[in-house]
Amino acid sequence: MASLARLAGIKIEEVSGVGNGRGSSLRRSGIKTVADLVGWFPRRYIDRTRNPELALLPLDEEVTAVGKVQKTSIRRPRRGLVIVESTITDGTGSVSLVFFNQDFRYRQLSEGAEIAASGKIQRFKGKLRMSSPTVDVLDRPVEGLATGRLVPIYPGVKGVKPGYIRRWIHNSLRRSSPMSDPIPEPIRSELELVDRETAYNQIHFPSEPTDVDNARRRLIFDELFRLELALALQKRRQIAESRGRAHAVGGELAERFLAGLPYALTEAQWRVLGEIRSDLRAPHAMHRLLQGEVGSGKTVVAVAAMLEAVSGGSQAAVMAPTEVLAGQHFLGIRSLLERAGLSPGEESETRLGMESLFAEPSSDLPVRIALLTSAQVRTNYDPGATRSEVLDAIASGKVDLVIGTHALIQEGVAFGDLAVAVVDEQHRFGVGQRVLLKDKATEADPDLLIMTATPIPRTLSITLYGDLDVSHLDEMPPGRSPVATSVFPKTRQAEAWQVVREEVAAGRQAFVVCPLVEESEKMELASATAEFSRLSKVFSDLRVGLIHGQLASPDKEAIMSAFRRGEIDVLVSTTVIEVGIDVPNATVMVIEDADRFGLSQLHQLRGRVGRGEHPGRCILISDPSTPEGKARIAAMADTNDGFRLAEIDLTLRGQGTVFGARQSGMVDLKLADIIRDYRELFVARREAFALVDRDPDLSHHEEMKEEIRALLGEKVEWLLKS
Ligand code: ADP
Ligand code: MG
């Protein structure tokens, strides 16, 4: 019995007729083994019963012309050159086929033979002609390859004629028979999947269109099942290997913090906090993804979770993707702690006022927080703390809660006892960084909470983050009205500026996002500066500021602070403000050349306004020139629902672009499309996780295990070691 893993162990050069030369052509196309070869699926099929009419075939494109040979001639115009020319027709038109030094074609293309010629049709001296096409003789089947009604057409492999590929696949399948099937029979019959051998044979050599459908369904399931099995193993592994700890939850710190909030948590926030608390209470380490629309209030939930660790005498950390965001988290968390009377408050301006609101003195349960980025250090207990003092305080455990950027995971930063780690806006970080943060813990693995405001359709999140549990903040704090979005062409820019003026006159503030510049940072800087001076003239009576990525962090922070304090009316910005910025008094966002931004970026940007009591407005200035640009603008104008936008985004971009570095080793999807095939994905997930529950190290499913190892490669190797 041949297993797929075994076929993955046979080098492509070993297939008879391949050899080294063609072998290297195949390898260049990614066909390295027999498993790759039989997994080289047809791009389409020609239906011999419904041939495309010759007269309708387009020029200069790879096409297949099917017709009857009318006449064939052979010439030897000079020594060493043989030209065979054959004319085929189907009654609607005719095409001449020309071959050089392929004498055998003269016999092959005998008058009356029905053939399919694949290649490009070109106009040559007023006639339609194909030069050296690939030929399949349809009524004289070679090894039965063209006996079905449907002839497979393969994606091209440079340097190898399609006919060879078809023949090699055919021979390989024949030699691999009988092929074993690792998907357990009960699953197959419940899902009405054909067996593996049938699937491979029918996807390559179908006799009916329904054969192709059945084969595809089965092979798509295989791809999704392998992926989900790898994820299930990863998850189990994490649980098994984690040296977690069981926290006591509902500690005094968290309770006081929640009681001190200036608002009541939403129901969704309570629910999510409950989910996190039950993870914290459990003995294994938490791996939880918290998804929530921009402005849904993830930060407070995270702080409440971190305070549980602090109550227990350990430390917690938040890692933010940018300096500005880390700085903002520091300020926000400090002020919430102050309100709750939990900050030692040496730097606090509001402490005295707050103290009178609470019976207890604020210093009996101080929570010491520190900001640590590559450019800044700050604490809430010692305004003069130096970097090395802060590092010492983190190492000794004196600091309870550390807020930072990726500086946190750098060498030289040691924690006394890190127990809860929060990663904000995960899409900016790779998995590697997540692991590094985990490694900062000494005692046990920290409980990990990953927060993202990039809404990910569920179908994608279970794949991208399949090893994580997912919580959803699916409710906005009360009183928010959705941001009203309008689209103006450039010619009506002045109207956008008028809206900005009106809002500023009413005491609000505005963002203007500069056109996206992708060429270089220098260009981006130049364009932002130019836009700033232009707008400074447009708004000569207003206070206009500029923030961009090339500014040093303290300068960025200074500008953001000034904007927060209301000292800037209009903040001209690049996408540095995209994530997380929270200035509730900002109510208008104007995005220039909006169609050039990605959909999730636009959605994030729009999330910067409408965060307070006043309704927000978003104005997209855009004259979209591409279909995708048009679609993005239309989608933005149409909905504020981040999940809906994420789905549209995926459809526009395709699944390939979303995997990126994350899990790339586990993703080997040739036929499956997790968006289109989301139902199958859920089924595969259910079955894969159930299988791993029953057989955690796949010791009773040895073949499946070998297959994952062989097809998903080294990156999953660690999952399979026992
Ligand atoms: P995000 O989920 O985008 O990170 P934040 O945590 O920054 O959202 O919260 C957005 C804003 O909403 C903040 O100003 C925060 O103080 C406020 N907020 C959070 N929870 C609530 C709530 N339950 N009621 C009212 N306002 C809230
Ligand atoms: Mg946030």
Side-chain angles (χ1 to χ4, degrees):
M1 291 276 257
S3 68
L4 206 53
R6 228 194 90 214
L7 300 186
I10 306 175
K11 293 198 180 67
I12 193 65
E13 288 79 4
E14 290 173 39
V15 172
S16 96
V18 173
N20 286 334
R22 288 172 182 147
S24 55
S25 298
L26 290 167
R27 279 175 186 276
R28 271 195 292 280
S29 290
I31 307 175
K32 300 178 179 134
T33 68
V34 173
D36 295 331
L37 180 67
V38 297
W40 189 253
F41 299 120
R43 178 156 61 84
R44 63 191 178 88
Y45 305 85
I46 9 175
D47 187 342
R48 287 174 49 214
T49 61
R50 290 192 300 137
N51 300 329
E53 300 180 346
L54 283 186
L56 299 178
L57 287 174
L59 297 185
D60 301 315
E61 273 173 35
E62 206 62 44
V63 292
T64 301
V66 179
K68 222 182 217 88
V69 175
Q70 225 168 14
K71 65 167 197 290
T72 298
S73 62
I74 187 163
R75 304 182 276 136
R76 298 173 195 275
R78 57 180 161 83
R79 188 193 280 277
L81 179 62
V82 182
I83 299 178
V84 174
E85 186 160 3
S86 180
T87 305
I88 62 168
T89 178
D90 68 350
T92 70
S94 60
V95 176
S96 84
L97 316 178
V98 183
F99 304 90
F100 304 95
N101 291 340
Q102 297 182 20
D103 311 33
F104 74 96
R105 297 288 185 194
Y106 183 65
R107 270 175 294 112
Q108 183 191 35
L109 300 170
S110 55
E111 211 181 299
E114 181 104 22
I115 67 145
S118 303
K120 285 181 185 161
I121 299 181
Q122 272 151 343
R123 196 174 287 282
F124 183 76
K125 289 186 181 163
K127 284 201 335 198
L128 297 181
R129 103 173 191 179
M130 277 175 137
S131 187
S132 306
T134 304
V135 172
D136 285 301
V137 178
L138 299 180
D139 63 354
R140 239 190 303 140
V142 183
E143 296 171 309
L145 301 194
T147 49
R149 282 200 308 149
L150 297 165
V151 180
I153 304 296
Y154 291 94
V157 171
K158 219 172 168 220
V160 182
K161 295 244 161 115
Y164 285 119
I165 304 234
R166 192 179 310 158
R167 186 158 318 152
W168 293 330
I169 290 175
H170 187 262
N171 291 346
S172 298
L173 284 176
R174 215 173 43 182
R175 299 194 49 166
S176 311
S177 180
M179 205 188 257
S180 58
D181 194 336
I183 304 280
E185 163 56 30
I187 297 183
R188 263 189 283 149
S189 59
E190 192 201 321
L191 302 177
E192 298 180 3
L193 297 172
V194 298
D195 66 83
R196 178 169 277 176
E197 181 165 349
T198 306
Y200 273 100
N201 278 302
Q202 295 195 340
I203 197 153
H204 288 293
F205 306 106
S207 29
E208 305 285 337
T210 53
D211 288 352
V212 179
D213 297 341
N214 290 332
R216 283 180 63 91
R217 264 193 64 227
R218 164 59 207 253
L219 295 167
I220 284 172
F221 183 82
D222 281 7
E223 290 179 359
L224 298 173
F225 191 66
R226 280 194 290 268
L227 172 66
E228 291 298 333
L229 261 184
L231 291 169
L233 288 167
Q234 179 172 335
K235 178 157 186 179
R236 176 156 284 266
R237 191 92 194 183
Q238 269 167 358
I239 291 175
E241 284 184 356
S242 86
R243 308 156 296 141
R245 71 176 105 196
H247 293 274
V249 299
E252 194 182 347
L253 280 181
E255 291 308 326
R256 266 178 60 177
F257 171 75
L258 293 171
L261 290 175
Y263 41 74
L265 290 190
T266 62
E267 233 177 275
Q269 283 170 317
W270 278 120
R271 175 176 36 88
V272 168
L273 185 57
E275 287 163 2
I276 293 171
R277 281 177 162 173
S278 78
D279 281 356
L280 292 176
R281 211 182 293 122
H284 59 258
M286 166 166 79
H287 285 90
R288 187 167 285 278
L289 176 71
L290 169 52
Q291 284 198 350
E293 191 63 272
V294 277
S296 60
K298 294 182 288 294
T299 316
V300 262
V301 174
V303 175
M306 291 191 287
L307 289 177
E308 303 286 15
V310 176
S311 280
S314 325
Q315 290 169 297
V318 200
M319 185 161 76
T322 63
E323 293 265 346
V324 169
L325 205 49
Q328 180 181 284
H329 274 322
F330 176 81
L331 296 177
I333 293 172
R334 189 184 71 183
S335 97
L336 289 174
L337 290 172
E338 277 165 0
R339 271 185 160 275
L342 292 172
S343 183
E346 236 122 293
E347 271 191 36
S348 157
E349 300 106 69
T350 50
R351 180 171 159 250
L352 287 176
M354 284 302 118
E355 232 172 4
S356 59
L357 289 177
F358 294 92
E360 288 134 312
S362 68
S363 53
D364 67 332
L365 279 173
V367 177
R368 292 198 179 82
I369 65 172
L371 171 68
L372 179 74
T373 70
S374 49
Q376 329 172 52
V377 285
R378 230 170 138 175
T379 72
N380 70 338
Y381 58 89
D382 175 7
T386 63
R387 172 169 289 264
S388 70
E389 281 166 0
V390 169
L391 287 172
D392 287 346
I394 296 172
S396 70
K398 181 180 174 197
V399 171
D400 302 306
L401 208 159
V402 187
I403 298 147
T405 51
H406 52 268
L408 288 186
I409 51 178
Q410 256 133 38
E411 259 174 75
V413 182
F415 284 83
D417 178 20
L418 179 62
V420 172
V422 176
V423 181
D424 196 14
E425 308 295 351
Q426 152 86 6
H427 63 296
R428 295 292 184 96
F429 294 109
V431 203
Q433 284 164 314
R434 190 169 113 193
V435 172
L436 280 173
L437 185 57
K438 229 166 106 170
D439 288 347
K440 290 287 174 188
T442 42
E443 299 266 307
D445 286 342
D447 286 293
L448 192 60
L449 181 67
I450 291 164
M451 304 199 288
T452 177
T454 301
I456 305 166
R458 183 157 159 67
T459 172
L460 195 59
S461 69
I462 65 168
T463 309
L464 291 181
Y465 301 102
D467 53 320
L468 303 179
D469 297 303
V470 179
S471 286
H472 250 147
L473 268 185
D474 50 7
E475 180 188 353
M476 288 301 235
R480 304 267 175 87
S481 41
V483 177
T485 302
S486 30
V487 183
F488 290 170
K490 263 194 205 124
T491 49
R492 287 174 54 199
Q493 252 184 57
E495 292 173 47
W497 307 144
Q498 192 48 39
V499 173
V500 169
R501 284 179 179 288
E502 283 161 15
E503 288 293 313
V504 172
R508 311 280 93 78
Q509 291 162 280
F511 292 103
V512 177
V513 179
C514 300
L516 186 66
V517 177
E518 274 161 345
E519 287 76 21
S520 72
E521 291 180 339
K522 232 179 169 168
M523 298 273 295
E524 179 176 326
L525 178 59
S527 118
T529 315
E531 196 53 21
F532 170 68
S533 47
R534 189 174 80 92
L535 290 172
S536 297
K537 284 182 201 119
V538 172
F539 299 117
S540 55
D541 50 334
L542 305 182
R543 295 165 300 174
V544 183
L546 171 67
I547 189 167
H548 56 76
Q550 307 309 301
L551 285 175
S553 296
D555 297 342
K556 263 189 243 170
E557 196 41 61
I559 290 167
M560 277 320 296
S561 302
F563 190 61
R564 259 182 222 118
R565 287 195 303 265
E567 293 162 13
I568 293 173
D569 301 312
V570 180
L571 185 60
V572 178
S573 164
T574 60
T575 51
V576 288
I577 57 150
E578 175 188 336
V579 169
I581 297 295
D582 188 28
V583 181
N585 193 49
T587 51
V588 203
M589 159 139 319
V590 180
I591 306 177
E592 301 188 74
D593 278 349
D595 52 286
R596 300 187 43 195
F597 292 86
L599 207 40
S600 71
Q601 214 167 17
L602 287 170
H603 181 62
Q604 283 287 336
L605 286 169
R606 177 167 62 183
R608 300 307 113 220
V609 292
R611 299 171 72 86
E613 48 184 316
H614 306 287
R617 280 203 67 173
C618 175
I619 300 174
L620 307 172
I621 297 185
S622 161
D623 303 282
S625 52
T626 63
E628 291 81 26
K630 280 196 183 96
R632 288 196 291 264
I633 295 297
M636 283 292 290
D638 195 47
T639 179
N640 281 301
D641 179 341
F643 286 85
R644 182 73 201 107
L645 287 170
E647 272 167 6
I648 297 172
D649 194 32
L650 272 170
T651 327
L652 290 174
R653 290 188 306 157
Q655 64 176 354
T657 52
V658 294
F659 286 112
R662 200 176 197 284
Q663 316 278 16
S664 64
M666 290 191 187
V667 179
D668 166 45
L669 305 180
K670 289 178 186 154
L671 294 174
D673 178 320
I674 57 174
I675 319 239
R676 182 197 60 207
D677 303 323
Y678 71 95
R679 284 190 198 85
E680 288 74 10
L681 180 68
F682 284 112
V683 174
R685 180 174 180 81
R686 186 187 70 210
E687 297 298 340
F689 276 69
L691 185 71
V692 170
D693 271 346
R694 292 194 301 273
D695 183 13
D697 56 1
L698 298 188
S699 55
H700 301 289
H701 295 85
E702 208 44 58
E703 183 180 350
M704 203 64 232
K705 187 159 141 183
E706 286 311 312
E707 181 168 320
I708 290 175
R709 182 173 273 150
L711 272 70
L712 300 186
E714 288 159 22
K715 297 210 175 102
V716 295
E717 195 58 39
W718 66 282
L719 299 176
L720 302 166
K721 288 206 192 92
S722 39

